[in-house]
Amino acid sequence: MYKLYFKQALEMLKQNKFTSIISIAGTAIAIMMIMALLVTDQVKAISVAPEVNRNRTLYIKWESQISKINDTWVSGWMSYKGYKDQLSALKTPEMVSLLSYNWLNRPSTIVSVKGSTNIDLVIAKQTDANYFRIMSFSFLKGKPYTQEEFESGVHNVVITESTARKLFQGEDALGKTMDINYQPYKIVGVVKDVSRIFGYAHSDIWIPYTSIDGFEKKLGFVMLLLAKDKNDFDAIKAEVRGIERKWTQEDAEWEHVLRGPYDHKTQLESTSSNNEPDVDGAMRKRIFMLVILLLIPAINLSSFSLSRINKRIEEIGVRKAFGAKKHTILMQVLYENMITSLIGGFIGLILSYAVVIWLKRWLFGLDVNDFIPVTTLVSGWIFVAVFLVSLLLNLLSAGIPAIRASRMNIVDSINNKKQ
Amino acid sequence: MIRHILKIIWTERRSNLWILLELILVFSILWFCCDYLYFMGKRQMQPMNVDIEHLYVVNIGEDINLRQQRDSLLPIESEAMTILERVKRYSAIESACYSSCGFPYSGSNCSGSYMLDSASIYFGLRHITPEYFDVFKIDFVLGKTFNWNEALVENQIILTDGDNNGNVEKNVDDEKAAKNEDLEGMVAVSSIKELRDDDEKKTYKVVALAAKSKYDDYHAYQAFIYLPLAKEDLKLNQVDLMIRVKPEADKDFIETFTNDMKEQMRVGSYFLTSVTSMQDVRADYMDWRDYNNNFYSIFSIGGFLVANIFLGIIGTFWFRTQARRSEIGLRIALGASRRSVKSMLQKETLILLFIASIVATILCINVAMVDILKDIGVPSVYDRENVVGKEQYLINYAVTFVFLALVSVLAVWYPAKQASDTQPAEALKDE
């Protein structure tokens, strides 16, 4: 029976080429916009190498200190002192890592090689040893610095293959020395290039933060907390709040507020060191956008469905006279409309990928040369989402006309009395 | 003719309701887009009065171990002054200066209040060395830059020429205002000769007036004070070294400068870390402020709505033309020209648009008054410290209406052509 509906639907599409094209175009545009939004969200949130643990990582990004004596506020990155004196007491997370980098994300670290007068600017991240256990880099040669090497502040560096190529042309970089901000470092590992999509994993070079003189006062940090399981999140947050309270009590001069721990989605909204991220606001904006993106095409497609059904009203009347039940008519109308929706949905999905890649500068802050790894773009969820969105659009646009058509009086239908 | 078309619209009110609803929604959203774009466009037209081409920020780091070995008898500013001299002598440099909280497109700024008689005025503060105006190519309205030593001794300051009208706002606390009613309000910057800082017990003399200034392209002009940098404050982790490069020397400048100057910039505990062009600083700042994001969002939503309304009008009128085939055939048989059939459909579209625009305008003005947009989080001009005049409503309406009218007429062109090509004999046979 469904095969019959399918054939009928295709016939109808062929007969009314112009209106079919318009309906499919309308559906495709709507689905393109909605899927572009959903794919962008996925790229920012999905747990994929090297940031394989996004779903069980919490982040503490900043700290604020509020004076107990006067009206002064000081906000900024987390201080090393805060970690050493207070936060190192954390027990619930599986492991904890401190990360320091230039938030401007522009190459500003000077690198050079002895024997060459060239100097280059690269992006650098200062990390500890746990960082390489939370992230999952593809090591082409060598391995990261170990916990002992990190603790002793040894001058080791891990670089990407493009950096190796830039500095050493074709030669093997492993074991060689390079100058970073005029200090010599030994290359202990070479990794595959990391896309700029990964905010916490992307860099050109990684060095232990202990290798920088005076790092305790000089550097500001972000703290990554790896939970054993997502269910531990609340326990970890409670423990951090407890430490925050104890810290404030012990400090006569300052009240301390830690911005975090946030889960991955929330920390994307945290861009300022002295306020909490507006998660509700972001959610409201998202819902508003999705409503507009669904509503307006739904109104369009509704009027088309209505007109199409009106054209076939005699046929529906005859079928009802011969015994077709209400829900049979309803199902057939919805099913036929679903064909248009699915074709439009498929075209819309392809277009949405094209849009996301074309607009990568705006959506992700990437440059022309940066790439978005396929693993972040494609996933089972996206296909489920396309299907559900198409279904939703279908129901919104054809639902009411279909119900009214199925309920129409047989005599009126056969006499072509329009809706 | 219009009465006739209104009757036709009323007859098909069921199907017209859909297209009207869509037109109302699209008109409203485009109204707010137009609002935002017009407002931002107006702001951008007001010049920054600063030239950021060939301008660079030199970032300097400090070796803490070396700092501790420093000879404490040396004046604090000696390393900084040495570095400044050496930079100025470099052949590619046109001018150089130090500043604190001194450049536009920055997320960190300083501000404070100063007293004029018994009112206080809120200013943005920029601490600078005198060459600042050459480095940024800022013009003077009155006077010229100060002499550094003289300015420090005699507390000389330079003001910018206020807001759009050359004024700044005076604030008075309530009890004083109650006694003397004309104390609050705007005062012309050019009339200010002295400002007091009652906490520090200092009086500052205004020696010059510089061009108007704002934080970024989309801000309004604000009042700033340029103060001479205190020599004790010349610690290079707290001030920025800004340089202007000669245009002919500005090729691969960053690499060349770093290579040539890195040894010379190793003075005391300081060393050169990097050089950033002001254009890069601006690009990062604009991204951080989400301006580009907002514009792209508006353009894509606008494009989406236009595409939808286009398809909506084509589709609706196509069906309508097919349904009214006999009526159109009759009209043509009775003498209507093909042109009049086309224009009838076009007029129908435009009147529908007009009705929708009236409803949408009422909706938009109410939404703007109630301030919902801020809560939804979409880019809006109503949440900043600004006043939207009535003429902006008129402009929004006119621009949105004309734009949608063009789209509608274009969309209805194909169905109208089909209608006017109807063969009366065939159409009437169907009946």
Side-chain angles (χ1 to χ4, degrees), chain A residues 86 101 117-118 124 136 175 177 179 189 193 269 282 309 372 386 396 399:
Chain A
Q86 306 287 340
Y101 56 99
T117 47
N118 272 350
S136 168
T177 312
D179 282 346
D193 285 349
E269 305 288 334
I309 290 175
I372 309 177
V386 168
L396 280 176

Side-chain angles (χ1 to χ4, degrees), chain B residues 5-212:
Chain B
I5 296 186
L6 282 173
K7 276 204 194 128
I8 296 179
I9 292 180
W10 182 250
T11 328
E12 299 220 24
R13 57 185 178 278
R14 258 255 162 79
S15 116
N16 275 335
L17 203 62
W18 288 116
I19 197 80
L20 262 180
L21 187 62
E22 195 181 344
L23 278 170
I24 293 176
L25 274 176
V26 170
F27 197 95
S28 315
I29 298 179
L30 283 180
W31 165 290
F32 286 112
C33 293
C34 177
D35 207 25
Y36 187 83
L37 288 175
Y38 175 72
F39 185 81
M40 288 309 213
K42 213 162 65 149
R43 282 263 172 95
Q44 197 186 20
M45 297 287 276
Q46 296 168 337
M48 284 287 287
N49 291 328
V50 152
D51 183 2
I52 64 168
E53 231 190 308
H54 308 304
L55 201 57
Y56 292 86
V57 183
V58 179
N59 302 305
I60 297 182
E62 195 182 4
D63 187 335
I64 300 199
N65 299 329
L66 287 177
R67 196 214 279 178
Q68 288 162 351
Q69 299 166 8
R70 192 178 182 277
D71 177 359
S72 53
L73 290 175
L74 269 178
I76 299 186
E77 71 271 14
S78 67
E79 287 99 334
M81 293 312 291
T82 314
I83 291 182
L84 188 61
E85 287 307 307
R86 291 185 183 174
V87 166
K88 279 186 182 171
R89 265 185 272 143
Y90 187 65
S91 58
I93 303 289
E94 196 176 298
S95 49
C97 73
Y98 283 118
S99 68
S100 172
C101 294
F103 54 86
Y105 306 119
S106 165
S108 64
N109 297 294
C110 309
S111 49
S113 294
Y114 288 83
M115 305 295 291
L116 176 70
D117 299 326
S118 47
S120 75
I121 307 182
Y122 191 70
F123 288 96
L125 302 176
R126 292 182 167 152
H127 299 266
I128 57 168
T129 61
E131 312 91 322
Y132 180 88
F133 300 97
D134 288 327
V135 174
F136 281 90
K137 289 217 188 308
I138 297 179
D139 292 325
F140 280 92
V141 173
L142 217 57
K144 57 182 178 43
T145 189
F146 44 53
N147 171 296
W148 197 1
N149 290 318
E150 201 183 305
L152 284 171
V153 165
E154 298 189 24
N155 291 331
Q156 293 177 344
I157 57 175
I158 298 180
L159 300 182
T160 62
D161 198 14
D163 63 13
N164 269 347
N165 306 318
N167 295 333
V168 279
E169 193 178 349
K170 288 195 295 185
N171 300 304
V172 186
D173 63 46
D174 297 325
E175 35 171 280
K176 292 209 187 101
K179 291 187 207 157
N180 196 339
E181 274 159 19
D182 64 356
L183 270 183
E184 270 212 340
M186 309 303 278
V187 62
V189 175
S190 46
S191 69
I192 301 180
K193 298 282 178 271
E194 265 185 13
L195 286 168
R196 291 191 327 273
D197 182 346
D198 286 339
D199 295 327
E200 305 261 319
K201 307 241 187 308
K202 275 193 188 165
T203 304
Y204 293 92
K205 284 202 268 295
V206 180
V207 295
L209 209 54
K212 296 193 218 280

Side-chain angles (χ1 to χ4, degrees), chain B residues 250-262:
Chain B
D250 196 6
K251 278 183 202 26
D252 293 327
F253 175 75
I254 297 183
E255 286 84 358
T256 325
F257 180 85
T258 315
N259 238 347
D260 293 340
M261 292 297 288
K262 70 169 184 278

